[in-house]
Amino acid sequence: MSAPNMPKVAGIDSTVPAPAHTGPPLDDLPAAPGALIRDRLAGWVSDLTTLHELTERLAGTGSLDSALKELLRAGAALVGARRGLVVLEPADGLGPGTTLGLGLTHADLGHLETVPRRASSYGRLLDGPTARTEPVASPDLLRDTELDPRQREVAVRLGYGASYAVPLVAGTGTHTGAASGLASGGAASGPVSSTVSSAASSAVSGRLGAAVWLYDEPAEPVERQRHLVGLYTRYASQHLSRLLELERARIRMATIAEELLPSRLPRIPGIQLAARHRTGPYGGGDWYDALPLPEGAVSLSVGSVSGSGPGAVAAMGRMRASLRAYAVMEGEDPVAVLSDLELLLRLTEPARTATALFAYAEPAQGKILLAGAGHAPPLIVGDRRTEFVETSLSAPLGMLACWEAPSVELWPAPGETVLLYTDGLLRRTGDPMDRAYARLHGAAASVPPSARNDPGAVADHVLRTVLPDGPGGPGGRNAEGAWNPDSAEDVVLLAARFD
């Protein structure tokens, strides 16, 4: 006969002991080895998938700015922060350097820059021979008794209570910001590490900069988050180093191209000149020139050498220098000038072709005599007309055994501007040629009357209208930061306004 059960009364425990054979609660049972292994593998797969997605997005960036922004976004997701900044400051001192923020305005970045470098977390990673190579964690800034007073003031003003900074160091043997291993913290150190280590060697080695993420409240990333962000920043550093070298090469190429073009345009009575030049990411062979000639005349020329890179830039310099010599000798005959240039190109650059437009202008008479070789026609912009100049069709230089085409006379009215340009202006639009010409004509026709007295203002308006800048715009990079296919072309625009 079983013992009677005691009534259940609030606050009184039953005095009947539990049977001896009753087992412990299920929650206290040790997990089966298979369940632990499954949980560990699931964590590894999750971490590997996350890193793969983030590194794929980073690899799709094509410029330093876009890569740095993606680095900030991914790092913030990995460490659980909302805001951050990245400081690009290569240790070799060759630049370029920049500071970008995530969730921070320009004013916020300005406040952060007022903190002494020795006290800032990125300063401790970047400055001096004793710069740290491990992450700098500040889990509770306001309770830190050694905190710099200015840093405390900025933290209160911007409303952040903690920070976590990691160095960006390029080099296959450097593993910055990573913990001793995710295997001890529940993540996949083996597969993930091998994936990140497969990145190609850096183009620029050494310290590149530092990334800092800011927490709204006192906080600190756990071991697993530290290791994930360490693996990610190691891959990001490799990617940034390659983009950095590409950017340096682009800057060098653009500098050389600019040095080969006129440093200033001549001042000639009766005519005002202005030029605009945009170099593509690979460096092209577009040029412009304006050369004073005897009796108050001036030669105007624009042209483009086929190809890109250092070879095209060097060929452009030789072509422009030769064209100047031919302009001095026989500038009054544009056809003869281009014929001489074609012969030179065929003898010295047999593998290249070029387009060119040469004009002999007499401002006092308001007359222009021009000839073109496979080049886009000039455009006249005035109060009463906006029209393309009808020129004869001609093959580019270097494509025929003997080049020759008739010249054309222009009589621009006082106040009208003649625009000479290279076909890069049309190609960068990404439109078919007929639409590109229509866009150019519409841009020139829409020049405000107040701007038509200044050839520089006319050129700027045309460029802004034909090639709008910004994400996705044909005038530069796309939303992912990569150069648009049609924006690889150089652009030259030479404007001559007749008084």
Side-chain angles (χ1 to χ4, degrees):
M1 185 173 181
S2 61
N5 291 330
M6 295 294 293
K8 296 181 179 180
V9 181
I12 300 177
D13 294 334
S14 173
T15 59
V16 180
H21 63 272
T22 301
L26 293 178
D27 293 342
D28 296 336
L29 290 175
L36 289 177
I37 294 175
R38 285 195 300 270
D39 291 343
R40 181 64 60 85
L41 288 176
W44 289 353
V45 172
S46 176
D47 292 339
L48 181 61
T49 302
T50 299
L51 280 180
H52 176 73
E53 292 176 353
L54 294 178
T55 52
E56 282 292 311
R57 290 180 56 180
L58 180 67
T61 58
S63 68
L64 278 175
D65 283 354
S66 60
L68 292 173
K69 291 176 181 177
E70 179 59 32
L71 164 65
L72 282 175
R73 287 192 293 265
L78 290 174
V79 302
R82 187 173 62 90
R83 294 178 290 176
L85 70 151
V86 60
V87 179
L88 183 67
E89 196 174 284
D92 58 13
L94 299 179
T98 186
T99 300
L100 294 177
L102 172 68
L104 299 171
T105 65
H106 289 292
D108 295 338
L109 292 176
H111 286 304
L112 289 169
E113 290 178 353
T114 62
V115 177
R117 290 263 301 194
R118 56 176 175 78
S120 65
S121 53
Y122 64 85
R124 282 179 278 175
L125 294 173
L126 298 179
D127 292 345
T130 60
R132 296 185 55 171
T133 58
E134 295 298 322
V136 176
S138 301
D140 195 345
L141 287 170
L142 299 184
R143 290 189 178 183
D144 188 353
T145 57
E146 299 181 358
L147 190 67
D148 185 272
R150 180 56 186 167
Q151 188 175 10
R152 185 186 306 273
E153 179 183 345
V154 171
V156 172
R157 178 187 291 270
L158 300 185
Y160 66 91
S163 66
Y164 184 71
V166 297
L168 302 175
V169 182
T172 55
T174 305
H175 189 176
T176 62
S180 60
L182 282 180
S184 61
S189 61
V192 177
S193 297
S194 62
T195 299
V196 177
S197 298
S198 63
S201 59
S202 303
V204 178
S205 61
R207 189 177 70 247
L208 304 180
V212 186
W213 290 279
L214 306 176
Y215 296 90
D216 296 341
E217 303 291 340
E220 186 177 3
V222 298
E223 183 78 5
R224 174 173 166 273
Q225 291 174 317
R226 287 172 179 255
H227 192 64
L228 284 175
V229 77
L231 291 172
Y232 178 79
T233 53
R234 184 174 71 169
Y235 177 88
S237 298
Q238 303 283 19
H239 184 63
L240 288 173
S241 69
R242 293 188 289 271
L243 291 178
L244 183 63
E245 181 60 30
L246 290 175
E247 183 67 13
R248 288 178 175 179
R250 189 194 67 79
I251 293 174
R252 289 193 295 266
M253 193 64 59
T255 302
I256 294 173
E258 291 295 335
E259 290 296 326
L260 291 174
L261 296 175
S263 58
R264 62 182 181 86
L265 295 174
R267 294 186 177 182
I268 300 172
I271 190 172
Q272 301 178 47
L273 302 174
R276 299 293 183 265
H277 180 218
R278 291 188 182 182
T279 303
Y282 314 115
D286 288 17
W287 84 82
Y288 67 90
D289 201 2
L291 180 66
L293 297 176
E295 300 180 0
V298 58
S299 70
L300 307 174
S301 64
V302 294
S304 177
V305 176
S306 62
S308 61
V313 173
M316 176 268 288
R318 293 190 290 268
M319 292 282 288
R320 175 179 166 267
S322 301
L323 187 62
R324 283 196 144 204
Y326 299 145
V328 171
M329 292 187 296
E330 46 192 355
E332 296 182 10
D333 186 354
V335 173
V337 171
L338 292 185
S339 297
D340 293 342
L341 190 65
E342 193 275 337
L343 178 60
L344 177 71
L345 180 67
R346 186 152 42 87
L347 294 177
T348 60
E349 307 276 351
R352 293 190 184 275
T353 61
T355 65
L357 188 69
F358 181 84
Y360 177 81
E362 298 176 291
Q365 286 74 33
K367 176 184 175 182
I368 297 179
L369 188 64
L370 65 87
H375 207 81
L379 182 62
I380 297 180
V381 181
D383 294 333
R384 297 185 177 182
R385 62 172 175 168
T386 300
E387 60 186 25
F388 290 102
V389 178
E390 294 186 6
T391 57
S392 59
L393 296 177
S394 172
L397 302 176
M399 293 190 68
L400 300 178
C402 181
W403 179 90
E404 186 169 346
S407 58
V408 177
E409 281 190 5
L410 299 182
W411 299 87
E416 290 186 332
T417 300
V418 179
L419 294 178
L420 311 180
Y421 53 93
T422 58
D423 57 1
L425 179 63
L426 304 172
R427 296 184 185 279
R428 273 207 192 189
T429 63
D431 295 333
M433 276 299 169
D434 56 343
R435 294 184 181 179
Y437 277 115
R439 177 183 289 192
L440 175 58
H441 184 275
S446 65
V447 175
S450 59
R452 293 186 178 180
N453 294 328
D454 181 4
V458 173
D460 290 335
H461 176 84
V462 169
L463 284 177
R464 284 194 305 266
T465 307
V466 176
L467 305 177
D469 289 320
R477 306 179 188 271
N478 59 23
E480 287 74 31
W483 283 90
N484 289 325
D486 295 305
S487 69
E489 300 279 347
D490 277 14
V491 172
V492 162
L493 186 60
L494 178 61
R497 182 184 184 276
F498 286 78
D499 297 333

